[in-house]
């Protein structure tokens, strides 16, 4: 099949209460054809997609246009992928799952897909036998986790020529109707990781992937086809400032944004026309979706956006992502195993083509012989493939006529089994299929033995759970009291250290003040001595002008200059000491404030400890209740998982199958069976 582009559709949800509180207003405009959207925010931008759905588009319209054809292709043997992309709180899970599974107006894509699959099976001819398998996984903190078997929390991704990219040891459950699919997915969704953020009360912290495998076999001819449908609900891209993520939630947001960035890099590499390497292996998400992006799959991408000016930057980023993805080309093909009749027909076709080419070669060799002999041939006698196909050997030259007829006669004779390689390959393949059936039966018997062993070890697991419960009830309180004791000791050490530093500071301050006072007194004395010296100098000048007096005056002038320099130094030192005293006083005030703050923190810590002890008691009680619930659920899950390993063949047209039946269920019966359904099982965003 020639390459086809990924179908990209855009859906806008209504403006929510957060956007209204922040003063956001709708800034989108969709054209009449519903294929272009214009954003009129800080800058005007235009984007084109296969379809753009407005804020009030019914769920049915999104499914009919975007998804229905892919489901038809999967039941016909193609691989298909549907995934939703967008920021946290953009409506991805509402699109994928909907608000109410029994409400025709609000149920989402996944319930409609499941209903269409079993409707298609019931509408198929009665000679077609189907099996449907479901697996459910999530990618959390860059680890692949099996939601049907949560103990498998770090599964490996492998690839081979037959299966393509697949997750090793991923648990698969056989289902026979819509209710079994819903129940299986409900059990798996209870193990998903969600958390509260400012953008959404239950924001998914992981990417979830549901894989539905549909295998059909024609009981008359033995031909088989197999199609896989990937339903991907991506975790929302986040701006930490808006979501308010912190701690573990912040670390999860980093991993989510990293994997979505890797998805963007893969799409860039697929569409830029320059990259020789596609970085599928940069994240677990892109590795699993390798066939969905540029591979063997019919893919639809639903980008979910906010129409509000409050989320303008995130909406533009999402729309650009969709525009790039729209340029990706996939090459989808039917995953089919040929029936014996089809293999024989293919063998017959190959034989016929072989005979034709051998006759053509023989005719050309005959014509070459004529030309080499120095003879010429008219143009109407030249050898051509059309003449060979028509069997018109009389229109060829005599030598070519003879050779081509001989080859055709020899080739038309029956071939012995030793010569027919294709027949031998068919027989070998049939033997291998029979051996695979026997191996599968042996595996089923081994699984039954393992079930008995697991039942025998249940009592040991109960004892281990009781020990864990006792350990859980003792450790947390001791750990918290220990933390409070350490904090009090640390605070006491800090108090003693501050008291010692304060005493040292007071001693130093007194010494400095005494030194300062002494220096000030010396300055005063020097000033008085200077005045006296000047007076004496003036008296001497007036009394005598002889040389001895002049020498004495010169000596006194030098002393006067030195005393002046000393005075300047003392003034500078006095100023520096004043600055140091002011700085020391500020430090003392800061230390006093720090001590008061620590005393307040200690009081708050004591109050918090009391509150935490109360909360811990409540949490401990909740853990005990959950342990009891887990014991009962584990027993039920173990039985359900082993039951889901048994294949449940379904016949087209609702025909009865041995060991089971395949009949449609009325809407009333479906609602009665799904009375325990919890809407939004994939985690709302």
């Amino acid at each position: 099949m020639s390459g086809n582009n990924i179908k990209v559709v855009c859906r806008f949800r209504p403006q929510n209460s957060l956007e209204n509180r922040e003063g956001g207003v709708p800034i989108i405009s969709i054209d009449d054809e519903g294929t272009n959207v214009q954003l009129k925010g800080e800058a005007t931008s235009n984007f084109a997609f296969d379809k753009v759905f407005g804020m009030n588009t019914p769920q049915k319209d999104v499914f009919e246009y975007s998804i229905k054809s892919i489901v038809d292709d999967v039941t016909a043997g193609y691989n298909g992928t549907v995934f939703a992309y967008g920021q946290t709180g953009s409506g991805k899970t509402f699109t994928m799952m909907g608000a109410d599974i029994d409400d025709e107006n609000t149920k989402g894509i996944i319930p409609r897909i499941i209903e269409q699959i079993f409707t298609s099976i019931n509408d198929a001819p009665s000679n077609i036998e189907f099996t449907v398998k479901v697996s459910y996984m999530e990618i959390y903190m860059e680890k692949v986790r099996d939601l049907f078997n949560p103990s498998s929390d770090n599964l490996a991704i492998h690839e081979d020529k037959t299966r393509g990219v697949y997750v090793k040891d991923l648990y698969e459950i056989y289902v026979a109707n819509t209710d079994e699919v819903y129940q299986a997915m409900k059990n798996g969704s209870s193990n998903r990781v969600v958390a509260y953020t400012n953008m959404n009360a239950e924001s998914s912290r992981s990417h979830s992937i549901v894989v539905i495998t549909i295998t059909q076999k024609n009981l008359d001819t033995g031909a088989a086809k197999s199609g896989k449908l990937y339903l991907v609900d991506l975790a929302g891209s986040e701006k930490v400032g808006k979501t308010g993520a912190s701690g573990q939630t912040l670390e999860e947001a980093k991993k989510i944004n990293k994997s979505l960035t890797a998805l963007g890099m893969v799409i860039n590499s697929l569409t830029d026309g320059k990259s020789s390497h596609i970085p599928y292996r940069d994240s677990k998400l892109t590795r699993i979706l390798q066939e969905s992006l540029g591979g063997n799959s019919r893919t639809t991408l639903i980008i979910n956006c906010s129409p509000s000016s409050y989320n303008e930057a995130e909406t533009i980023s999402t729309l650009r992502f969709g525009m790039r993805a729209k340029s990706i080309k996939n090459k989808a093909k039917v995953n089919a195993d040929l029936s014996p009749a089809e293999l024989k027909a293919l063998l017959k076709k190959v034989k016929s083509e072989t005979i034709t080419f051998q006759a053509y070669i023989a005719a050309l060799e005959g014509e070459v012989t004529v030309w080499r002999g120095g003879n010429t041939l008219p143009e109407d006698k030249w050898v051509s493939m059309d003449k060979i196909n028509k069997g018109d050997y009389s229109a060829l030259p005599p030598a070519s006529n003879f050779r081509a007829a001989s080859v055709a006669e020899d080739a038309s004779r029956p071939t012995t089994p030793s010569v027919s390689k294709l027949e031998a390959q068919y027989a070998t393949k049939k033997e291998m299929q029979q051996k695979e059936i026997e191996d599968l039966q042996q595996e089923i018997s081994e699984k039954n033995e393992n079930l008995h062993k697991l039942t025998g070890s249940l009592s040991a697991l109960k004892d281990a759970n009781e020990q864990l419960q006792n350990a859980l009830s003792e450790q947390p309180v001791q750990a918290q009291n220990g933390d409070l004791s350490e904090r009090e000791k640390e605070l006491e050490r800090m108090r003693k250290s501050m008291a010692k530093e304060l005493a040292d500071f007071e001693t130093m301050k007194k010494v400095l003040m005494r030194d300062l006072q002494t220096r000030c007194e010396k300055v005063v004395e020097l000033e008085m001595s200077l005045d006296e010296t000047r007076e004496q100098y003036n008296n001497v000048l007036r009394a005598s002008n002889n040389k001895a007096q002049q020498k004495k005056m010169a000596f006194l002038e030098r002393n006067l200059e030195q005393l002046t320099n000393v005075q300047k130094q003392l003034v500078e030192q006095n100023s520096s000491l004043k600055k140091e005293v002011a700085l020391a006083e500020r430090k003392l005030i800061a230390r006093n404030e720090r001590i008061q703050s620590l005393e307040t923190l200690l009081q708050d810590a004591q109050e918090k400890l009391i509150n935490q002890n109360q909360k811990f008691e409540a949490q401990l009680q909740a853990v005990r209740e959950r342990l009891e619930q887990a014991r009962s659920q584990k027993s039920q899950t173990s039985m359900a998982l082993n039951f889901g390993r048994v294949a449940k063949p379904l016949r087209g047209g609702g025909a009865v199958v041995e060991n089971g039946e395949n009949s449609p269920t009325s809407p009333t019966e479906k609602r009665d069976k799904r009375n325990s359904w919890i809407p939004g099982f994939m985690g709302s965003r």
Side-chain angles (χ1 to χ4, degrees):
M1 174 173 287
S2 60
N4 63 294
N5 290 68
I6 289 179
K7 182 185 289 186
V8 180
V9 300
C10 175
R11 187 181 193 186
F12 290 93
R13 59 155 173 77
Q15 183 161 296
N16 60 29
S17 57
L18 172 62
E19 294 164 340
N20 291 331
R21 288 197 306 270
E22 297 294 334
V25 294
I27 57 172
I28 64 168
S29 175
I30 303 173
D31 67 352
D32 295 337
E33 295 181 357
T35 56
N36 288 270
V37 60
Q38 184 180 70
L39 263 67
K40 300 177 180 179
E42 295 182 359
T44 301
S45 305
N46 292 283
F47 301 90
F49 301 99
D50 294 292
K51 192 69 175 177
V52 180
F53 297 106
M55 293 182 284
N56 298 311
T57 304
Q59 297 276 61
K60 182 179 180 181
D61 292 355
V62 178
F63 174 77
E64 292 287 340
Y65 178 84
S66 311
I67 311 300
K68 188 173 183 179
S69 60
I70 286 187
V71 181
D72 292 335
D73 291 338
V74 172
T75 55
Y78 290 95
N79 292 338
T81 303
V82 179
F83 65 101
Y85 177 92
Q87 74 175 115
T88 297
S90 60
K92 296 184 296 298
T93 299
F94 177 77
T95 297
M96 295 295 285
M97 196 57 226
D100 186 353
I101 197 172
D102 291 318
D103 189 336
E104 178 61 27
N105 295 323
T106 61
K107 66 182 177 182
I109 287 172
I110 291 178
R112 296 175 191 272
I113 288 174
I114 296 170
E115 290 176 2
Q116 184 182 345
I117 287 173
F118 287 99
T119 299
S120 299
I121 291 175
N122 286 327
D123 293 342
S126 59
N127 64 329
I128 305 296
E129 184 176 274
F130 295 85
T131 58
V132 182
K133 293 186 294 185
V134 179
S135 58
Y136 194 6
M137 60 183 142
E138 71 172 353
I139 304 174
Y140 174 66
M141 298 291 283
E142 278 301 295
K143 291 183 178 180
V144 181
R145 186 163 170 259
D146 192 340
L147 292 177
F148 286 156
N149 187 16
S151 59
S152 301
D153 60 355
N154 192 13
L155 299 177
I157 302 174
H158 290 252
E159 181 178 8
D160 62 32
K161 293 182 180 180
T162 304
R163 299 180 61 181
V165 178
Y166 67 97
V167 178
K168 186 179 180 182
D169 298 328
L170 184 65
Y171 206 93
E172 294 180 316
I173 296 178
Y174 286 94
V175 292
N177 52 55
T178 57
D179 297 304
E180 291 185 2
V181 179
Y182 295 148
Q183 185 59 43
M185 294 179 68
K186 176 188 173 185
N187 293 338
S189 65
S190 63
N191 297 315
R192 281 205 68 187
V193 179
V194 298
Y196 176 85
T197 70
N198 292 342
M199 303 292 287
N200 199 333
E202 290 187 358
S203 175
S204 297
R205 315 311 297 163
S206 64
H207 310 295
S208 74
I209 303 175
V210 178
V211 185
I212 302 176
T213 304
I214 305 171
T215 303
Q216 58 174 288
K217 181 178 181 180
N218 189 315
L219 300 179
D220 296 336
T221 64
K225 297 178 183 178
S226 178
K228 285 189 175 182
L229 178 60
Y230 288 80
L231 304 175
V232 186
D233 187 13
L234 298 175
S237 57
E238 296 186 355
K239 280 192 174 181
V240 175
K242 285 187 176 181
T243 59
S246 62
Q248 178 67 14
T249 306
L250 177 60
E251 294 302 316
E252 294 166 349
K254 291 178 182 178
K255 293 292 186 181
I256 291 169
N257 290 340
K258 180 181 178 181
S259 65
L260 293 176
T261 300
L263 178 61
M265 295 298 293
V266 167
I267 290 178
N268 285 339
S269 300
L270 288 169
T271 56
D272 64 6
K274 301 177 183 178
S275 301
S276 58
H277 169 69
I278 310 300
Y280 289 116
R281 295 178 182 268
D282 284 1
S283 78
K284 298 291 180 65
L285 175 65
T286 52
R287 182 69 171 138
I288 292 175
L289 295 181
Q290 180 171 338
E291 291 295 324
S292 305
L293 302 170
N296 176 28
S297 178
R298 299 281 183 86
T299 301
T300 291
L301 166 63
I302 304 176
I303 56 173
N304 294 265
C305 303
S306 163
S308 176
S309 57
Y310 175 69
N311 289 314
E312 179 182 356
E314 292 87 345
T315 298
I316 290 176
S317 175
T318 301
L319 293 173
R320 287 175 178 168
F321 177 89
M323 288 285 288
R324 292 195 301 269
K326 193 174 182 297
S327 302
I328 298 176
K329 289 186 179 292
N330 284 359
K331 296 181 180 179
K333 62 181 184 295
V334 175
N335 306 308
D337 292 331
L338 298 180
S339 66
E342 289 171 331
L343 287 171
K344 289 180 180 178
L346 180 61
L347 176 62
K348 184 177 180 181
K349 180 181 178 182
V350 171
K351 285 183 177 180
S352 176
E353 290 177 352
T354 302
I355 293 171
T356 301
F357 282 113
Q358 288 177 346
Y360 183 50
I361 292 170
L364 287 173
E365 289 176 347
E367 182 176 336
V368 169
T369 302
V370 173
W371 287 100
R372 286 178 177 174
N375 300 318
T376 59
L377 290 173
E379 187 174 348
D380 60 345
K381 291 290 185 178
W382 290 358
V383 176
S384 67
M385 182 61 76
D386 291 338
K387 294 177 182 178
I388 299 297
N389 288 332
K390 295 177 181 178
D392 186 9
Y393 302 118
S394 61
L396 302 176
S400 298
N401 183 358
F402 174 75
R403 291 193 179 199
S406 299
V407 169
E409 183 179 358
D410 292 340
S412 62
R413 294 172 184 169
T415 58
T416 62
S418 61
V419 178
S420 179
K421 294 182 179 180
L422 287 177
E423 290 180 348
Q425 291 176 357
Y426 166 70
T428 303
K429 184 174 183 179
K430 187 174 181 180
E431 292 176 0
M432 291 175 64
Q433 289 178 343
Q434 184 64 30
K435 186 177 183 301
E436 289 177 357
I437 293 173
E438 293 175 356
D439 292 341
L440 183 59
Q441 292 174 345
Q442 179 66 24
E443 183 180 354
I444 291 173
S445 63
E446 291 176 357
K447 295 296 182 182
N448 289 331
E449 293 178 1
N450 291 336
L451 176 61
H452 292 300
K453 293 179 181 179
L454 289 173
T455 304
S457 62
L458 183 59
S459 60
L461 289 174
K462 289 182 178 179
D463 295 338
N465 283 334
E466 291 178 359
Q467 294 176 0
L468 289 174
Q469 179 181 351
N470 294 333
L472 184 63
S473 63
E474 294 175 0
Q475 291 180 358
V477 175
Q478 296 175 357
Q480 291 184 4
N481 292 331
D483 292 341
L484 180 58
S485 176
E486 290 296 328
R487 291 184 65 178
E488 289 178 346
K489 291 179 181 178
E490 180 66 23
L491 185 58
E492 186 62 28
R493 286 195 296 270
M494 190 177 293
R495 281 179 176 173
K496 291 180 180 179
S497 175
M498 287 182 180
K500 185 178 181 302
E501 290 180 3
L502 186 59
D504 294 341
F505 173 75
E506 290 294 338
T507 303
M508 182 179 68
K509 181 180 177 182
K510 290 179 181 179
V511 172
L512 289 174
M513 292 301 293
R514 285 197 299 269
D515 184 64
L516 179 61
Q517 185 176 0
T518 302
R519 289 175 182 269
C520 290
E521 292 174 354
K522 287 183 179 180
V523 170
V524 173
E525 290 175 359
L526 287 172
E527 288 178 349
M528 294 172 64
S529 175
L530 180 61
D531 291 338
E532 292 175 357
T533 303
R534 285 176 179 171
E535 184 66 27
Q536 291 175 3
Y537 174 72
N538 292 330
N539 293 333
V540 170
L541 285 177
R542 287 192 296 268
S544 176
N545 288 325
N546 57 31
K547 292 182 179 180
Q549 291 294 334
Q550 289 178 356
K551 290 181 180 179
K552 187 175 181 180
M553 291 304 299
F555 176 74
L556 290 173
E557 286 178 353
R558 287 195 298 272
N559 288 342
L560 178 62
E561 184 178 356
Q562 291 176 356
L563 289 172
T564 303
N565 292 333
V566 171
Q567 181 189 14
K568 290 181 180 178
Q569 292 177 358
L570 290 173
V571 171
E572 292 175 355
Q573 290 178 357
N574 187 22
S575 176
S576 176
L577 287 171
K578 288 180 180 179
K579 292 180 180 179
E580 290 179 359
V581 169
L583 179 61
E585 288 178 348
R586 288 197 295 271
K587 289 183 177 179
L588 179 60
I589 293 171
R591 290 179 185 273
N592 290 334
E593 293 177 350
R594 176 62 176 167
I595 290 172
Q596 292 177 357
S597 176
L598 289 172
E599 290 176 347
T600 303
L601 289 174
L602 176 61
Q603 184 178 359
D604 293 341
Q606 290 174 343
E607 293 176 355
K608 288 181 180 179
L609 179 61
I610 295 172
N611 294 333
Q612 288 176 356
N613 285 336
Q614 294 175 352
K615 290 182 179 178
F616 173 73
E617 292 296 333
Q619 291 174 354
L620 183 60
Q621 182 62 31
V623 168
R624 289 171 178 168
E625 294 175 356
R626 291 181 63 184
L627 283 173
E628 292 296 330
Q629 184 179 1
R631 290 192 186 100
S632 59
Q633 185 177 2
K634 184 174 182 179
S635 176
Q636 296 175 359
T637 302
S638 177
M639 294 176 63
L641 289 178
N642 285 280
F643 179 73
R645 299 291 286 182
V646 180
K648 301 177 180 179
L650 307 173
R651 292 281 179 85
V656 176
V657 182
E658 186 179 356
N659 297 327
E661 60 182 7
N662 175 33
S663 60
T665 307
S666 68
T668 303
E669 292 173 339
K670 290 182 179 179
R671 283 193 292 272
D672 293 339
K673 291 181 180 179
R674 296 197 296 265
N675 57 4
S676 61
W677 173 255
I678 300 176
F681 64 84
M682 298 182 73
S684 64
R685 280 194 295 285

